Amino acid sequence: MTTITYAWSALGGDPARLARLTTVGREGALPARLPVRQLARACVGACALAAAELAAHRAGRAEVPGVLVDDGAVATAFHSERVLQVDGRAPTLFAPLSRFWRTADGSVRTHANYPHHRVRLLGALGLPADASAEDVAGRLAERSARETEEAVLGAGGLAVALRTPREWRAHPQAAEVAARPLVERARLDSAPARVLPPLDPAAAVLLPAAGLRVLDLTRVLAGPVATRTLALLGADVLRVDAPWLPELPDQHADTGFGKRSATLDLTAGRDTFEELLRTADVVVTGYRPGALDRFGLAPRALAERHPGLVVAQVSAWGGYGPWGGRRGFDSLVQVATGIAVTEGSTDRPGALPAQALDHGTGYLLAAAVLRALTEQSYDGGSRLVRLALARTAHWLTEGTGVRRADQAPEPGVIQPGGPRPTAAEGAPYAGPDAWLAETDGPLGRLRHARPAVSFAGGPTDWARPPVPWGSDPATWR
């Protein structure tokens, strides 16, 4: 079974649609010991196919438009935060305290890109706010990796001990993750079928998400990649952040294409927030599980107040198991799940060639939203779709859709012999230049990755460049 077949099955897609998909392979794209290129191609391909399916449905077309997935475009898109330039300036990716450290018995990876995470990390280590990297290295050399992990977690910071693949498999969270589907999908109620305004089949560009309002309550990468993709496809995406938690500027520029950006205190501005929810079609959250429930954002609570919503959630570890409420980022998930050891060694941990867990999960999340909208148009119901970086990591490390012959087939998985994408081999990947564009906007002149999601008649670029963080009112257009 191909990786795209597996991903499309996990989304509940009709296997016959796979015949509409063509892939262009390029050696040298996303090189790694693990099959990162295949996973990335599958995530983007499934998203593009879901977009084409919804576009055909809204335009009244009997046949889904052809979908093209090019490894070059995918690899460049998976490096979007790295290839970005703002007025010729390269982005800042990781802060000085976001790195691997040697401990008394191994290694630990910390994440301190945000100022509040840096403060919590230093506090957990008993260091002052102005401590240097040398101070941190000295303190960590005296501690065990697991002790550091628990201490920093207890202080609200982010640190994960390096684990081998075998150590992760023995962890109770790994068992919880492996027991879940790649894409969790649920119908929350019996709301009537969604009536989507039809698209003009003769339009120059088909925008499958046109007219839909997406409330974006995500941060960092996976969630913003999903909502950036929905914005590409025509959705009115409004990102809302707490006024006291500004996004990192380069990160905001990279994932802000096509969106508007507002700030809102969800407690003091509760009436404004409820008005946004009242006419939203999709709500996407990317905070740790349960963090937003006190604002009435638990999926069933949302569906009760606003029947017909699509609720999409993404987290690091999943909303279950002993790590269900933990914060996390792509780099930390790679370390915990054994990927860093697989791509390097216990002495010299490595990393994937891109933040592939973030990007891949983001495209799958967008695909899940698109498929939920298509299903709603036939069957109704408020919908919940949920993904986790750790579950995507399990897919990558334990086999991208291929099962041993002695295992029973998973429910709903398309078996070998069904429709498969058409494949072609292109020139080797020589770098991102062919898939870059330049756009002028309020943030300056941006060099950025072109969209990787592509189908015949679909959009080839975002309708608007990113705007300064928090520069829009917290209202729909």
Side-chain angles (χ1 to χ4, degrees):
M1 183 190 302
T2 67
T3 51
I4 293 180
T5 302
Y6 181 78
W8 186 240
S9 172
L11 293 162
D14 180 352
R17 305 280 195 230
L18 290 166
R20 302 299 299 155
L21 195 151
T22 298
T23 65
V24 179
R26 296 185 187 276
E27 287 299 326
L30 299 172
R33 294 176 180 173
L34 290 166
V36 175
R37 178 163 60 115
Q38 292 85 344
L39 179 138
R41 180 195 299 158
C43 294
V44 173
C47 184
L49 194 55
E53 176 187 51
L54 182 57
H57 173 59
R58 293 188 65 183
R61 293 184 176 181
E63 187 174 63
V64 170
V67 170
L68 178 67
V69 183
D70 190 309
D71 280 356
V74 172
T76 303
F78 268 55
H79 285 116
S80 64
E81 74 279 7
R82 302 185 188 188
V83 300
L84 176 76
Q85 289 187 0
V86 181
D87 288 332
R89 178 184 59 80
T92 300
L93 297 178
F94 287 102
L97 300 189
S98 295
R99 47 170 274 198
F100 278 106
W101 309 86
R102 295 297 299 176
T103 62
D105 62 350
S107 296
V108 68
R109 170 88 193 209
T110 57
H111 196 288
N113 283 3
Y114 289 102
H116 59 291
H117 289 156
R118 184 181 189 278
V119 169
R120 293 169 186 173
L121 169 65
L122 293 174
L125 299 178
L127 292 171
D130 61 350
S132 67
E134 290 73 20
D135 296 329
V136 174
R139 187 60 53 89
L140 288 177
E142 304 167 351
R143 297 187 174 207
S144 74
R146 302 291 175 89
E147 175 194 1
T148 300
E149 179 181 277
E150 292 302 322
V152 176
L153 170 69
L158 291 134
V160 169
L162 180 70
R163 289 172 171 83
T164 66
R166 176 175 291 184
E167 288 171 333
W168 175 246
R169 291 188 197 104
H171 195 283
Q173 186 64 26
E176 292 280 356
V177 167
R180 271 30 181 223
L182 177 63
V183 182
E184 295 182 75
R185 303 160 55 242
R187 179 172 175 155
L188 300 174
D189 59 22
S190 57
R194 177 186 293 274
V195 178
L196 294 170
L199 300 178
D200 179 2
V205 178
L206 290 177
L207 297 172
L212 297 172
R213 290 173 168 173
V214 176
L215 189 57
D216 180 1
L217 305 173
T218 69
R219 291 176 70 79
V220 193
L221 206 48
V225 164
T227 51
R228 180 182 68 186
T229 303
L230 296 174
L232 169 74
L233 300 170
D236 178 8
V237 178
L238 178 64
R239 173 165 167 168
V240 175
D241 287 283
W244 54 87
L245 284 178
E247 185 56 282
L248 302 174
D250 292 337
Q251 202 159 259
H252 177 72
D254 171 48
T255 60
F257 283 88
K259 306 179 190 180
R260 292 179 299 123
S261 173
T263 60
L264 184 66
D265 182 332
L266 299 191
T267 300
R270 187 56 182 266
D271 290 345
T272 299
F273 186 57
E274 285 297 326
E275 181 59 25
L276 289 173
L277 287 170
R278 187 181 66 80
T279 55
D281 299 289
V282 179
V283 176
V284 186
T285 66
Y287 291 76
R288 63 189 175 89
L292 299 177
D293 288 2
R294 69 186 186 277
F295 301 111
L297 288 169
R300 293 197 179 276
L302 276 172
E304 287 175 4
R305 299 200 314 280
H306 307 289
L309 268 179
V310 172
V311 182
Q313 296 183 326
V314 62
S315 63
W317 310 106
Y320 39 75
W323 285 17
R326 290 194 178 191
R327 299 171 177 86
F329 294 99
D330 181 306
S331 58
L332 302 184
V333 176
Q334 290 190 41
V335 172
T337 59
I339 290 174
V341 172
T342 299
E343 294 294 331
S345 66
T346 53
D347 293 327
R348 294 183 63 120
L352 298 177
Q355 294 191 68
L357 305 181
D358 261 333
H359 284 277
T361 305
Y363 284 109
L364 283 178
L365 187 66
V369 168
L370 296 166
R371 290 244 58 256
L373 291 166
T374 298
E375 291 176 343
Q376 277 188 327
S377 69
Y378 295 111
D379 298 331
S382 301
R383 305 285 174 139
L384 169 65
V385 296
R386 186 159 47 196
L387 289 95
L389 304 188
R391 182 58 182 84
T392 304
H394 176 75
W395 179 31
L396 176 65
T397 58
E398 301 300 328
T400 52
V402 179
R403 296 177 62 79
R404 298 195 314 266
D406 62 341
Q407 289 180 307
E410 294 178 276
V413 172
I414 304 164
Q415 295 307 299
R420 291 172 179 259
T422 300
E425 197 65 27
Y429 183 68
D433 290 355
W435 294 277
L436 295 176
E438 292 195 351
T439 299
D440 290 316
L443 297 180
R445 187 162 187 81
L446 304 182
R447 189 195 74 170
H448 60 93
R450 296 181 186 273
V453 171
S454 175
F455 64 91
T460 59
D461 206 348
W462 288 272
R464 54 183 292 170
V467 297
W469 181 82
S471 61
D472 290 296
T475 58
W476 297 114
R477 282 189 291 215

